[in-house]
Amino acid sequence: MGYELLGKIIELSAYNRSLEERFRKVARLTAQELGFDSCIIYGWNREDNTFTKLATSGARKSVINMYGHKEGLCSWVKRNRKTLQIHNPDPRNILWNQIEDRGIKGFKTIVVSPIKDESHLYGVIYLKAGDRLSLAERKKNILNVVARLLCFFIKCDIDYKRLKRTYTKLKEMQARLGNAEKLMALGELSATLAHEIKNPLVSIGGLATRLQKKLSKDSPEYIYVEHIVKEVTKLEDIINDILHFTEDRTLKFTAEKLDSIVEEAIKGFEDICRRNSIKVEKLFSQEPISVIADAGQLKIALDNIIINAIQSMEGGGTLSITTYRRRRWAHVEIKDTGGGIEPHLIGNIFNPFFTTRKGGTGLGLPITHKIVTRHKGHIDVANEYGKGITFTIRLPLTDSQSGGEMK
Ligand SMILES: Nc1ncnc2c1ncn2[C@@H]1O[C@H](COP(=O)(O)OP(=O)(O)O)[C@@H](O)[C@H]1O
Ligand SMILES: [Mg+2]
């Protein structure tokens, strides 16, 4: 009566195999039960609007692997959302009702049934027989139930895959959260240490400078003291970076011309670029760009990216700085030809203390990120390993420039 077939198909739902394997079994069982020579199951692919073959059973002739959304009998079933049953008097025929389908060649009876629910089509079951068959009401009902069960399998599979993706994301987030907690603790610890170290360091630096002034340049001690002064300056820079990163100073926002801030930042590096054979290309926007910014802070954010770019181009290169307006955003693009960074490391570059440079603090980019975020902006990075990196800072335009649409 067909119950056995349905029972076997239902058993497959607990079957721990791929969807394709389950479909192969369903195709075989359905063709057998309903007396067809061939059963093909097609899945509807929403991304590229095609029906693709998922499983075949029985006769292999005239099996089409894929139908476009306007091709073959599948397209008729897609449009009408109901079972199509046709009899092909001449098996050499590939036309039915002006629809061309090479899949029907060599068969006299063809039944195509939709795999669907109330709102979506998920595919079709395509049955073919070399003889003339008529599908009795009972068999039609069985076919409908089979289609329903296939729809259930497909939906479960979609949900399962979605769940798996969410689970992976959740795991990643959990790992990142663990990392963030560690970084926060590390940040607090470094802030405390930086505060403790700063004052004694300033007095060591001050005293050493005074001593240096007292010594004659020819005395052997002069070199020692000079070294102390130099190292203290380096340490002071690190301490300032840490304090800058950890403290939350209030920003003073005013309407500023973006190009002037960028120009000011580049100016500070022109000399060093010249000395290092780095060509500086400025491609500033034709139209003025106005942003609400703390100019001093924004300059620091840009400085950090420019310094990194220069450091990456030891043997020379090109530093391109472009500004432009797009929609509600002001953009600054800073591009270098320093070879970029290994792809597996790119995810770390904004993490505090991540550095691949000898003597680096790993605080330049975190500081930049923090400043840009406090300006309600974003930073995007395009890393072309072997070529270079492009950092793009996006900042909201002032109200007047964005037509009052500022976020
Ligand atoms: N333009 C760049 N080219 C290649 N690598 C870069 C570039 N900018 C940043 N990086 C990578 O990001 C890391 C972190 O940068 P940053 O936070 O400024 O710290 P630091 O410069 O002290 O290392 C660098 O050590 C480097 O590995
Ligand atoms: Mg840096």
Side-chain angles (χ1 to χ4, degrees):
M1 279 290 284
Y3 294 125
E4 204 183 327
L5 164 73
L6 299 178
K8 279 184 187 159
I9 295 179
I10 290 168
E11 267 172 33
L12 289 176
S13 64
Y15 191 65
N16 197 15
R17 290 286 158 86
S18 71
L19 201 59
E20 284 71 20
E21 199 170 338
R22 283 195 241 172
F23 280 178
R24 266 201 300 279
K25 286 192 189 255
V26 174
R28 187 170 48 79
L29 292 168
T30 311
Q32 260 172 17
E33 174 72 25
L34 302 182
F36 283 83
D37 298 320
S38 161
C39 175
I40 309 155
I41 297 172
Y42 290 98
W44 170 244
N45 209 328
R46 244 176 274 175
E47 273 92 53
D48 53 8
N49 275 342
T50 53
F51 285 95
T52 358
K53 187 185 76 186
L54 300 176
T56 325
S57 159
R60 300 273 152 175
K61 67 177 171 191
S62 310
V63 172
I64 308 296
N65 288 333
M66 190 189 279
Y67 288 99
H69 72 297
K70 286 187 177 160
E71 283 173 6
L73 301 180
C74 297
S75 69
W76 187 95
V77 173
K78 183 174 177 296
R79 262 195 320 278
N80 297 285
R81 300 279 164 118
K82 60 179 185 192
T83 299
L84 170 69
Q85 189 178 161
I86 61 173
H87 295 289
N88 190 17
D90 180 357
R92 283 170 302 179
N93 243 346
I94 55 163
L95 267 184
W96 172 81
N97 232 357
Q98 281 160 1
I99 299 176
E100 186 182 309
D101 189 335
R102 283 177 296 107
I104 67 178
K105 195 172 173 202
F107 295 96
K108 281 198 170 163
T109 309
I110 298 105
V111 174
V112 188
S113 195
I115 301 171
K116 59 166 188 172
D117 62 10
E118 291 68 31
S119 43
H120 288 105
L121 179 92
Y122 293 93
V124 297
I125 310 175
Y126 199 124
L127 292 155
K128 305 192 272 191
D131 295 330
R132 200 185 150 83
L133 280 184
S134 86
L135 213 56
E137 204 53 34
R138 187 185 64 84
K139 286 196 173 177
K140 264 191 207 158
N141 287 339
I142 292 174
L143 185 59
N144 277 341
V145 180
V146 170
R148 285 259 156 195
L149 288 172
L150 286 180
C151 177
F152 170 71
F153 285 176
I154 295 173
K155 281 165 83 170
C156 282
D157 192 65
I158 293 171
D159 285 345
Y160 174 71
K161 283 184 180 142
R162 198 175 290 150
L163 213 66
K164 219 165 134 183
R165 274 200 303 273
T166 314
Y167 177 74
T168 318
K169 246 191 231 161
L170 211 68
K171 278 267 169 212
E172 273 171 24
M173 270 162 73
Q174 208 177 25
R176 254 192 270 161
L177 215 66
N179 240 344
E181 269 172 19
K182 268 187 239 154
L183 286 174
M184 245 164 74
L186 202 62
E188 274 169 31
L189 183 70
S190 359
T192 320
L193 273 176
H195 274 295
E196 295 294 324
I197 293 171
K198 185 160 181 161
N199 291 339
L201 198 65
V202 169
S203 39
I204 294 172
L207 292 174
T209 313
R210 274 163 68 181
L211 202 60
Q212 194 184 16
K213 280 185 190 147
K214 288 229 157 93
L215 290 170
S216 129
K217 281 198 176 164
D218 310 322
S219 73
E221 289 83 8
Y222 185 88
I223 295 170
Y224 300 146
V225 179
E226 190 182 48
H227 202 69
I228 295 174
V229 172
K230 224 160 71 192
E231 293 298 315
V232 166
T233 313
K234 258 199 230 164
L235 282 176
E236 270 177 351
D237 284 347
I238 297 175
I239 297 290
N240 285 336
D241 267 0
I242 294 177
L243 289 175
H244 201 123
F245 179 64
T246 48
E247 78 189 357
D248 270 324
R249 78 169 65 187
T250 7
L251 302 190
K252 290 191 197 84
F253 288 108
T254 41
E256 298 281 351
K257 283 196 194 107
L258 180 69
D259 287 356
S260 320
I261 303 174
V262 177
E263 184 71 65
E264 188 70 22
I266 303 171
K267 217 195 277 165
F269 297 101
E270 271 167 0
D271 256 8
I272 185 167
C273 284
R274 212 170 300 125
R275 272 185 273 125
N276 288 285
S277 319
I278 294 170
K279 194 175 139 205
V280 181
E281 278 180 357
K282 285 185 273 186
L283 295 151
F284 286 179
S285 161
Q286 301 285 323
E287 42 196 6
I289 304 179
S290 165
V291 289
I292 300 287
D294 181 317
Q297 291 290 298
L298 198 56
K299 185 177 163 298
I300 293 176
L302 294 166
D303 282 353
N304 288 338
I305 296 182
I306 298 173
I307 294 170
N308 284 346
I310 293 173
Q311 286 170 340
S312 75
M313 297 187 282
E314 269 186 343
T318 306
L319 174 70
S320 318
I321 300 173
T322 315
T323 64
Y324 56 94
R325 260 163 55 173
R326 189 169 293 160
R327 293 197 201 98
R328 285 179 285 135
W329 300 94
H331 292 72
V332 187
E333 238 176 58
I334 300 170
K335 183 176 179 182
D336 64 59
T337 55
I341 184 167
E342 283 181 71
H344 74 278
L345 297 176
I346 190 75
N348 300 322
I349 62 171
F350 289 104
N351 287 344
F353 308 111
F354 171 81
T355 181
T356 55
R357 281 191 242 284
K358 202 164 159 266
T361 58
L363 285 170
L365 289 181
I367 289 173
T368 295
H369 189 267
K370 188 171 163 185
I371 294 173
V372 172
T373 310
R374 292 186 76 191
H375 279 75
K376 295 197 168 53
H378 302 272
I379 310 184
D380 297 310
V381 191
N383 177 40
E384 275 188 273
Y385 188 47
K387 286 190 175 171
I389 293 195
T390 308
F391 285 88
T392 307
I393 295 184
R394 257 188 304 149
L395 299 169
L397 290 167
T398 52
D399 269 345
S400 59
Q401 288 205 319
S402 66
E405 278 189 273
M406 213 166 109
K407 259 210 298 198

